[in-house]
Amino acid sequence: MRNIKITIKYDGSRYKGFQRLKDNDMTIQGKIEDVLSKMANENIEIIGSGRTDMGVHAYGQVANFKTTSNLSVDKMKTYLYEYLPEDIVITNIEEVDERFHSRYNAKSKVYLYKIYNNKFHDPFLRKYTTHIHKKLDIELMKEASKYFIGEHDFTSFASSKSKKKSNVRIIHSINITENDGLVEIYFEGNGFLYNMVRIMTGALIDVGHKKIAPEDIKIMLEEKDRTKAADTASAKGLYLYKVSY
Amino acid sequence: MRNIKITIKYDGSRYKGFQRLKDNDMTIQGKIEDVLSKMANENIEIIGSGRTDMGVHAYGQVANFKTTSNLSVDKMKTYLYEYLPEDIVITNIEEVDERFHSRYNAKSKVYLYKIYNNKFHDPFLRKYTTHIHKKLDIELMKEASKYFIGEHDFTSFASSKSKKKSNVRIIHSINITENDGLVEIYFEGNGFLYNMVRIMTGALIDVGHKKIAPEDIKIMLEEKDRTKAADTASAKGLYLYKVSY
């Protein structure tokens, strides 16, 4: 069996998330599996590097699948481009070692969170950013972000639905840029708990609004209690940006 | 009667164009007039600087309207923001001289045309750019654009439906930029005929694909015959960018 790795860019606005649910539900995985199964004339399941929730987007989600098909990867890419809906595009496709597993082998991930910080929202950004009308103090947010860097127990910053054995994760870097009201926050880490980026973003927004101080992040981490941290920022500002192996 | 000038940014994807048609049709003008009439408790008609077609967007459409309302312009702006659909936003509002007319007083307009030039389309740009998969030669397009500058009879570059007395217009400048596959063409002129920007863009695309030479633009202008020029580029890449007074 050949093992094929694909990189996927998608506008998640119309979908119930990445992971396949019931057969008729709109999911990214479902759409891709349906097209691949038709292409290869066999039942194909793809393994994603991780789930993304309803409304979350991706610049570089990664998945892999096994197939007996003899088609060249270029032909597969063209077939996928032709038959997938136009809000899902395969940006890269390659044949990989049979042991490659898009979830287990992921070394680090980058998530991007986009905020539009302006009194009035922008018609073109409404599905692709979270609108925050009250002015954010970006310098305070940068200061606060440093408390997340390194190895921590992120229990306070994970959905209470998260069922992982350990809530310890390493954040390598957080970069915040602001340009004409568009605030972009890049989070790089070895792994992320359920809702972790959205809750960290919620806390950074609270800092930006001076509801809490930058050093409060340190206390929240130490409390290891989800009820002590911030609200979960909305899905439409979140992008799975890159997965590294 | 007070005379109020508004600047409007809209995502035209869902609309049948700017101009009001029948009462239940989705138009930008219709949506704005309905909200304004409710706000002022009188029948309000807005005068746009010009029409935009179905699917065309705007960064800076301008309109004006007369009203007996005593509301401050700031309160009007907030009311409009609250009651307009989120793909139409009033970015500026001011009281102007009673003689101001958004169409007759317009001195120049800038239209922007966006092309995404890449083998595969981008999920996030699909509604906001025209996808051209075959590589464009940007330098040739820049060379060709110079033939449009100045005063010309644009009959070859106007829809045959255009019913203006004169087809003579002045193009002040055309600026073309390219960044990571996103090609942006800014056209500034004293006025534009029906479909003129989209037909000029069609001709520039033909030059970029070497179907015609840059100097063929000169010949097309001289022919004064719509059937000699290029196809009309699609609506979704077009933006009314700015109107100057």
Side-chain angles (χ1 to χ4, degrees):
Chain A
M1 294 272 270
R2 294 163 77 201
N3 190 12
I4 311 290
K5 176 189 174 199
I6 54 177
T7 306
I8 317 153
K9 194 171 190 174
Y10 51 83
D11 173 350
S13 310
R14 293 198 303 149
Y15 296 93
K16 289 196 173 179
F18 182 80
Q19 196 184 32
R20 188 169 196 124
L21 304 165
K22 277 174 291 172
D23 262 6
N24 290 324
D25 277 339
M26 285 279 285
T27 65
I28 317 292
Q29 183 179 4
K31 289 285 177 196
I32 296 172
E33 286 179 349
D34 289 351
V35 173
L36 282 175
S37 299
K38 204 164 178 183
M39 175 193 83
N41 203 19
E42 64 188 346
N43 192 30
I44 288 185
E45 280 178 46
I46 65 171
I47 299 162
S49 75
R51 304 172 187 184
T52 59
D53 278 348
M54 177 154 67
V56 173
H57 315 290
Y59 282 118
Q61 167 70 293
V62 174
N64 70 294
F65 61 92
K66 303 287 173 75
T67 182
T68 61
S69 165
N70 291 320
L71 274 179
S72 72
V73 288
D74 279 348
K75 286 213 171 114
M76 287 183 186
K77 193 179 180 190
T78 305
Y79 187 96
L80 284 157
Y81 185 69
E82 191 162 348
Y83 291 102
L84 279 173
E86 57 178 7
D87 47 11
I88 304 174
V89 171
I90 306 302
T91 58
N92 192 57
I93 183 164
E94 55 186 306
E95 191 159 349
V96 287
D97 187 276
E98 60 174 351
R99 288 163 303 181
F100 175 83
H101 188 287
S102 70
R103 190 161 68 253
Y104 300 151
N105 296 154
K107 284 211 177 106
S108 73
K109 280 186 184 171
V110 180
Y111 279 92
L112 164 61
Y113 199 94
K114 293 192 190 187
I115 294 166
Y116 186 61
N117 188 30
N118 195 310
K119 193 171 173 200
F120 300 102
H121 206 354
D122 183 290
F124 299 104
L125 300 178
R126 68 195 196 283
K127 289 180 182 168
Y128 306 111
T129 59
T130 288
H131 179 226
I132 305 277
H133 70 275
K134 201 178 141 199
K135 186 79 184 151
L136 290 165
D137 186 321
I138 305 294
E139 290 312 312
L140 282 181
M141 290 168 71
K142 286 182 183 173
E143 201 185 316
S145 72
K146 291 183 187 138
Y147 292 99
F148 286 125
I149 310 295
E151 185 173 281
H152 301 283
D153 183 316
F154 282 93
T155 302
S156 296
F157 294 89
S159 163
S160 49
K161 287 184 223 156
S162 182
K163 297 267 189 290
K164 303 277 183 182
K165 279 181 219 158
S166 160
N167 286 339
V168 174
R169 294 290 182 278
I170 300 169
I171 296 289
H172 302 306
S173 67
I174 299 177
N175 285 307
I176 307 180
T177 63
E178 193 274 334
N179 186 16
D180 216 9
L182 183 65
V183 180
E184 298 192 323
I185 313 175
Y186 293 85
F187 300 84
E188 179 163 16
N190 72 338
F192 293 86
L193 301 167
Y194 188 52
N195 277 353
M196 182 169 147
V197 175
R198 290 165 59 185
I199 301 170
M200 288 195 292
T201 300
L204 291 176
I205 290 169
D206 285 349
V207 171
H209 285 157
K210 300 178 187 173
K211 282 167 70 177
I212 58 171
E215 52 274 22
D216 287 338
I217 301 291
K218 189 169 178 287
I219 299 164
M220 287 174 176
L221 282 164
E222 285 164 0
E223 303 248 41
K224 300 185 184 68
D225 178 354
R226 171 69 189 97
T227 64
K228 305 289 176 167
D231 289 342
T232 307
S234 82
K236 65 183 183 172
L238 183 62
Y239 299 72
L240 174 50
Y241 190 74
K242 193 182 171 189
V243 187
S244 298
Y245 293 92
Chain B
M1 294 271 270
R2 296 164 76 200
N3 190 11
I4 311 290
K5 176 189 174 200
I6 54 176
T7 307
I8 317 152
K9 193 171 190 176
Y10 50 83
D11 172 351
S13 311
R14 292 197 304 149
Y15 296 92
K16 288 196 173 179
F18 181 80
Q19 197 184 32
R20 188 169 195 124
L21 304 165
K22 277 174 293 173
D23 261 6
N24 291 322
D25 277 338
M26 285 277 286
T27 65
I28 316 292
Q29 184 179 2
K31 289 285 176 195
I32 296 172
E33 286 179 350
D34 290 351
V35 173
L36 282 175
S37 299
K38 203 164 179 183
M39 176 192 82
N41 204 17
E42 64 188 346
N43 192 29
I44 289 185
E45 280 178 48
I46 66 172
I47 298 162
S49 74
R51 304 174 186 183
T52 58
D53 278 348
M54 177 155 67
V56 172
H57 315 290
Y59 282 119
Q61 167 73 291
V62 173
N64 70 294
F65 62 91
K66 303 285 173 77
T67 181
T68 62
S69 166
N70 292 320
L71 274 179
S72 72
V73 289
D74 279 347
K75 285 215 172 112
M76 288 184 186
K77 193 178 181 193
T78 304
Y79 187 96
L80 284 158
Y81 185 68
E82 191 162 349
Y83 291 101
L84 279 173
E86 57 178 8
D87 46 12
I88 304 175
V89 172
I90 306 302
T91 57
N92 193 58
I93 182 163
E94 55 187 306
E95 192 160 351
V96 288
D97 187 277
E98 59 174 354
R99 289 164 301 182
F100 175 83
H101 188 288
S102 71
R103 190 161 69 252
Y104 301 152
N105 296 153
K107 284 211 176 105
S108 73
K109 280 185 185 172
V110 180
Y111 279 93
L112 164 60
Y113 200 94
K114 293 193 190 187
I115 294 167
Y116 187 62
N117 188 30
N118 194 310
K119 193 172 172 198
F120 300 103
H121 207 351
D122 183 290
F124 299 103
L125 301 177
R126 68 193 196 284
K127 289 180 183 168
Y128 306 112
T129 59
T130 288
H131 179 226
I132 304 276
H133 70 276
K134 201 178 142 198
K135 185 79 185 152
L136 291 165
D137 186 321
I138 305 294
E139 291 312 312
L140 282 181
M141 291 167 72
K142 286 181 183 174
E143 202 185 316
S145 71
K146 291 182 186 137
Y147 292 99
F148 287 124
I149 310 297
E151 186 173 280
H152 300 284
D153 183 315
F154 283 93
T155 303
S156 296
F157 294 90
S159 165
S160 50
K161 285 183 224 155
S162 182
K163 297 267 189 289
K164 303 277 181 180
K165 280 181 217 157
S166 162
N167 287 338
V168 174
R169 293 291 181 279
I170 299 169
I171 296 290
H172 302 306
S173 67
I174 300 177
N175 285 308
I176 307 179
T177 62
E178 192 274 335
N179 185 16
D180 215 9
L182 183 65
V183 180
E184 298 191 323
I185 313 175
Y186 293 85
F187 300 84
E188 179 162 18
N190 71 338
F192 293 87
L193 302 166
Y194 188 52
N195 277 354
M196 181 169 148
V197 176
R198 290 165 59 185
I199 301 170
M200 288 196 291
T201 300
L204 291 177
I205 290 168
D206 285 349
V207 170
H209 285 156
K210 298 177 187 172
K211 282 166 72 178
I212 58 172
E215 52 274 21
D216 288 339
I217 300 291
K218 190 168 179 286
I219 300 164
M220 286 175 176
L221 282 165
E222 285 163 0
E223 304 247 43
K224 299 186 184 67
D225 179 354
R226 172 67 189 99
T227 64
K228 305 288 177 172
D231 289 342
T232 307
S234 82
K236 65 183 182 171
L238 183 62
Y239 298 72
L240 174 50
Y241 189 75
K242 193 182 170 186
V243 187
S244 297
Y245 294 93

